[in-house]
Amino acid sequence: MKVSAPARKKVLFVQPTIYDDRDRPVKKGKLYFIGLAYPVLAALLPPDWEAEICLETIEDVPFDTDACLVGIGGMGHAARRSVDLAKEFRARGKIVIMGGPMATLVPELAEKYFDVVVEGDAEETWPELVADFEAGSLKRRYKGVPARFTRPIPRYDLLLKKKIGDFLPVQAGRGCPETCSFCSIHCMYRGRYQRRDIEEVLRDIREVKRLGFRKFLLIDDNIVSEPEYMRELCAEIAKLGMEWMSQCSIELARDEELLATVAAAGCYALSFGLESVNPESLRHINKGWADPADYPEIIRKVVGAGIEVASEMIVGIDTDTKESLLSTVDFVLGSDLVAPKFYVMTPIPGTDFYREMKEAGRIVEPDVFRFSPSRAVITHPSIATEELSELYWEIYRRVYTLPRILRRTILKRRFLAHPSRGLFFLGLNLYYRYQIRRRIAPNIM
Ligand code: B12
C-alpha cells in the first residue's frame, strides 16, 4: 500500500464498546477492566511518535482525530462495533488497522473492513508496520509469533486520567496448555504457553505501584500453566505488598503449597472456567480431566486460602439437558462462589468449534457479527434454540435474586475482616443483576 508521509506521527487506539440488544453502543461512567494491548503497543512506538487511547465505553470517539493511524482491537462480539468504527474512520480518510483476537482468528474477514490486519502477537510486527508506514510501503497483513516474549514498560500513563478502577493490568504469560475446543485462546495459541522473565514482570508491577496503585489484574489466561514459574514469580510479588486478581485452571487447588504461595503473594480473587456441572458435558468439550464432583471441595480450599472464587460456565453444550442446566443453579447456590457468570455456547469464528458447527450445518444465525454471549445461535440436540436462550436468562435470574446476592457477599462472615472487599463483590453482583434485568449479558467491561 502506497502512503504519503504523515503530517503528524500519531496513533489513535480505540477499544470499542459493545452494542446492547437494541443496537445502541453500551456506555458507562467507569471502566474497571482495561486491556493491556494499547499501553504495550504505544510503548513500542518510535520516540518521535505520539499515542492516544480511547476507551469507548467511557469516552467519546474522536472521529476527527489528527492521528494518521487508527488502531482498533477486536474481541468476540465487540467486533461488530470495531467494524462500524472502522467505516467511520475510513470515510474520513484514516488508515485503520485491526489487531487482537478477531484479527488473529478470522483475518480474511477483518481484511474486508480494515486497511491493515495484524494477526497474532504484535511485539515484533507492530514496530515493523510503523517503519513500513514511514517508508510508504505498508502491507495489508502482518503476522507475528514473537520468538521471545519481552517488551518495554507499558504506557500506563496514557490511562491515568481516565475513569478506571483501582487496578492496572499486568501480564506474565500468554496462552494455555489446555486444549478446550471451544476456547479462542486454545485456537490462537494451540497449546503454546509463553512466559516473560520474572524480572520484567516485576518491573511492570513496580511501575503500577509507583503510579499509586495498590492492586493489579494479572490478565494471564492460566496462571498455573507452569507451576514452577508461578511459584518463583509469587515469591517475588509477595515482597511488593500488592493485591491482585487473576484467572486460572482448577489445577491450582490440587497443589496446596502453590495455592498458599499464590495467596501469600496478595492474590485475593481468581476466576475459574468451571464450564459445566455435567461430567458428560466436560468430556464433550475436551475438558474431561476436570470432575464437577470435585468443584465444591476445590472452591472450599481456595476460599479457605483467602482467595475469592468467581466462575465462568457454559449453557448449551450438546450433552446438556434442561435438567442438568437447571441443576447448575443448585450447584452455584450450594457452593462458595462470589461471582458466577454464564455464557451460551457460541461458535466463535476461527475456532475449531465454529468449523465443526459450520460443517454440520448447525449455525442458525448467518451473520457472525450478531453472535452474542446470551443468544443461542446453533441448534442443540435436545433443547430448542429459543428455549436455550431463555434457559440462560432463567439460570441468571435464579442465581441473582437479592437474598442470594446478599448471602454470597456481605452476609459472609469472612467479609467482616475485609469489608471493602465484601462491598466490591456486592456492587459487582448488584451490577450483574441490573444487567440481567435489562437482558444484557453480565460483563465487567
Ligand atoms: C483483559 C480482557 C478483557 C478486558 C479488557 C478488554 C479490552 N478490549 O482490552 C474486558 C474485561 C473489558 C474484556 C471484555 C471482553 N472480552 Co476479553 N479478555 C481480556 C483478556 C483476559 C486479556 C486481554 C489483554 O489485555 N491481553 C494482553 C495483551 C497485551 O495481549 P492481546 O490483547 O492479545 O494483544 C496483543 C495482540 O493481540 C495484539 N493486539 C491486540 N489488539 C490490537 C490492536 C491493534 C490495532 C494491533 C495492531 C495489535 C493488537 O498486540 C498485543 C501485543 O502482542 C483476554 C484473554 C487474552 N489472553 O487475550 C480476554 C479475551 C480477549 N476476551 C474475550 C471476550 C470474548 C471478551 C468479551 C466479548 C466478553 C463479553 N462477553 O463481554 C468482552 C468484549 C470487550 C470489548 N469491548 O472488546 C475473548 C476474545 C475471544 C475472541 N475470539 O475475540 C478472550 C480471548 C478471552 C477468551 N478466552 O475467550 N476482556
Side-chain angles (χ1 to χ4, degrees):
M1 201 186 307
K2 274 267 166 246
V3 280
S4 48
R8 190 164 180 186
K9 294 181 181 183
K10 179 175 169 183
V11 189
L12 168 69
F13 293 108
V14 186
Q15 179 174 309
T17 187
I18 48 171
Y19 286 112
D20 67 13
D21 58 356
R22 281 191 246 157
D23 283 350
R24 293 171 307 194
V26 171
K27 286 288 192 185
K28 290 186 182 152
K30 202 166 175 180
L31 185 65
Y32 287 89
F33 288 76
I34 313 291
L36 189 57
Y38 300 152
V40 165
L41 297 174
L44 288 163
L45 284 169
D48 57 339
W49 275 72
E50 291 170 67
E52 179 185 343
I53 295 177
C54 167
L55 305 173
E56 197 199 3
T57 313
I58 50 168
E59 294 173 313
D60 291 334
V61 177
F63 286 113
D64 293 314
T65 177
D66 55 357
C68 51
L69 297 179
V70 177
I72 304 183
M75 252 188 207
H77 62 283
R80 180 152 73 92
R81 183 66 187 158
S82 310
V83 166
D84 289 347
L85 292 178
K87 286 181 187 155
E88 290 285 337
F89 280 113
R90 291 179 89 183
R92 288 165 168 81
K94 299 291 174 193
I95 295 175
V96 191
I97 304 160
M98 184 187 225
M102 293 306 274
T104 304
L105 289 166
V106 278
E108 59 298 331
L109 182 63
E111 217 175 38
K112 288 190 190 157
Y113 305 98
F114 291 80
D115 299 300
V116 183
V117 175
V118 179
E119 294 172 57
D121 301 322
E123 277 77 4
E124 284 163 15
T125 47
W126 175 243
E128 184 190 326
L129 181 158
V130 175
D132 284 354
F133 173 70
E134 292 207 69
S137 56
L138 205 48
K139 299 186 198 62
R140 285 281 280 145
R141 286 230 202 155
Y142 292 81
K143 185 171 182 166
V145 182
R148 276 196 70 222
F149 186 10
T150 180
R151 52 166 85 127
I153 299 181
R155 290 282 310 275
Y156 293 123
D157 56 298
L158 296 172
L159 302 172
L160 295 183
K161 291 204 180 104
K162 302 185 191 291
K163 290 183 178 130
I164 58 173
D166 59 353
F167 51 88
L168 288 173
V170 172
Q171 188 173 33
R174 63 182 163 207
C176 175
E178 310 297 354
T179 55
C180 310
S181 56
F182 62 92
C183 181
S184 300
I185 294 299
H186 162 59
C187 297
M188 285 190 286
Y189 291 93
R190 296 286 166 200
R192 183 165 58 92
Y193 172 70
Q194 273 187 305
R195 55 186 175 72
R196 299 168 70 204
D197 283 348
I198 287 182
E199 205 32 62
E200 204 179 288
V201 182
L202 296 172
R203 179 202 66 187
D204 291 357
I205 300 174
R206 281 193 207 101
E207 175 67 3
V208 170
K209 190 172 177 181
R210 191 187 68 79
L211 293 169
F213 290 79
R214 287 285 160 270
K215 292 182 190 166
F216 64 92
L217 173 72
L218 196 60
I219 49 145
D220 292 37
D221 301 307
N222 180 4
I223 62 165
V224 293
S225 296
E226 255 182 52
E228 219 27 70
Y229 170 75
M230 218 350 98
R231 233 182 286 278
E232 267 180 60
L233 178 63
C234 283
E236 295 303 319
I237 293 178
K239 298 175 191 162
L240 301 178
M242 300 280 280
E243 288 195 299
W244 52 282
M245 296 176 270
S246 193
Q247 54 186 355
C248 69
S249 113
I250 52 170
E251 288 297 300
L252 174 65
R254 299 192 211 280
D255 184 339
E256 288 188 17
E257 192 225 316
L258 182 59
L259 174 61
T261 310
V262 168
C267 176
Y268 70 97
L270 282 174
S271 181
F272 290 126
L274 299 182
E275 325 307 359
S276 179
V277 290
N278 180 352
E280 220 187 316
S281 295
L282 288 181
R283 279 193 294 276
H284 192 79
I285 56 172
N286 248 2
K287 205 166 175 168
W289 53 267
D291 183 352
D294 298 340
Y295 285 174
E297 174 63 6
I298 285 170
I299 297 166
R300 200 190 55 74
K301 269 193 194 164
V302 178
V303 171
I307 300 175
E308 294 302 328
V309 178
S311 64
E312 324 266 346
M313 297 180 94
I314 303 172
V315 173
I317 299 170
D318 272 5
T319 41
D320 284 347
T321 59
K322 198 173 164 188
E323 292 67 37
S324 76
L325 285 174
L326 287 175
S327 75
T328 309
V329 177
D330 302 323
F331 161 75
V332 168
L333 301 181
S335 67
D336 209 348
L337 293 169
V338 75
K341 280 212 294 176
F342 305 92
Y343 303 91
V344 168
M345 186 66 164
T346 305
I348 301 277
T351 59
D352 300 346
F353 182 56
Y354 177 86
R355 262 185 296 279
E356 194 191 312
M357 290 299 106
K358 185 94 186 147
E359 277 162 26
R362 287 180 54 187
I363 301 180
V364 295
E365 169 58 75
D367 182 358
V368 295
F369 291 117
R370 294 268 161 196
F371 289 8
S372 95
S374 57
R375 191 166 67 92
V377 293
I378 50 173
T379 56
H380 186 275
S382 66
I383 309 171
T385 315
E386 291 292 305
E387 194 185 0
L388 193 56
S389 307
E390 273 317 307
L391 261 171
Y392 168 85
W393 290 115
E394 183 58 26
I395 293 171
Y396 254 138
R397 273 192 296 272
R398 293 194 194 183
V399 169
Y400 280 82
T401 64
L402 273 180
R404 286 168 178 170
I405 288 178
L406 293 175
R407 233 172 283 145
R408 72 173 156 264
T409 57
I410 42 163
L411 294 184
K412 285 260 155 72
R413 276 176 71 90
R414 62 175 181 272
F415 285 124
L416 283 177
H418 300 282
S420 60
R421 210 174 277 180
L423 285 172
F424 170 79
F425 287 113
L426 173 66
L428 186 71
N429 271 260
L430 290 174
Y431 181 56
Y432 285 177
R433 179 179 155 80
Y434 165 87
Q435 290 181 314
I436 292 159
R437 289 163 72 98
R438 277 154 194 76
R439 286 173 86 95
I440 299 172
N443 62 65
I444 33 176
M445 57 160 297

